[in-house]
Amino acid sequence: MPERQLQQQLQDLRDQLAEDPPLNDEDKAALIELMSEIEVQLAREIASEPDASLVDGVNLAVERFEASHPTLAGSLRSILQTLANMGI
């Protein structure tokens, strides 16, 4: 169940990015890379090889976008909570 929730949250984040918020190319690329890392981690979680550095990356992204893009930061916080619920 948490895996499905995480997939939905990632899709919500992709949808937000598709709405074209005023992100520069570097920020957008960083979010896309982070989402890819989360998907890789999800596959590893199924194989029981969690990577704790992923949580640090999501925390950094929350801090990076909190002031300028609060909606994105909120989505990232939800992803962070789901990862924590999964034991990552």
Side-chain angles (χ1 to χ4, degrees), residues 10 13 27-41 53-62 65 76 79 83:
L10 289 171
L13 189 57
D27 288 344
K28 195 169 190 172
L31 276 177
I32 290 169
E33 181 179 340
L34 182 62
M35 287 187 294
S36 294
E37 289 174 13
I38 291 169
E39 289 172 337
V40 167
Q41 180 61 43
S53 68
L54 180 64
V55 172
D56 293 336
V58 177
N59 275 323
L60 289 173
V62 168
F65 295 110
L76 289 166
I79 289 171
L83 289 171

Side-chain angles (χ1 to χ4, degrees), residues 8-85:
Q8 182 59 50
Q9 290 168 333
L10 289 171
Q11 186 58 49
D12 291 345
L13 189 57
R14 280 188 201 92
D15 292 345
Q16 289 175 20
L17 288 175
E19 291 173 8
D20 201 25
L23 289 176
N24 63 39
D25 290 340
E26 181 183 332
D27 288 344
K28 195 169 190 172
L31 276 177
I32 290 169
E33 181 179 340
L34 182 62
M35 287 187 294
S36 294
E37 289 174 13
I38 291 169
E39 289 172 337
V40 167
Q41 180 61 43
L42 184 58
R44 282 185 184 157
E45 177 64 20
I46 293 169
S48 299
E49 295 179 23
D51 178 8
S53 68
L54 180 64
V55 172
D56 293 336
V58 177
N59 275 323
L60 289 173
V62 168
E63 291 174 12
R64 180 178 187 174
F65 295 110
E66 195 154 28
S68 60
H69 302 287
T71 304
L72 290 176
S75 295
L76 289 166
R77 272 192 224 85
S78 295
I79 289 171
L80 190 61
Q81 183 61 48
T82 301
L83 289 171
N85 291 343

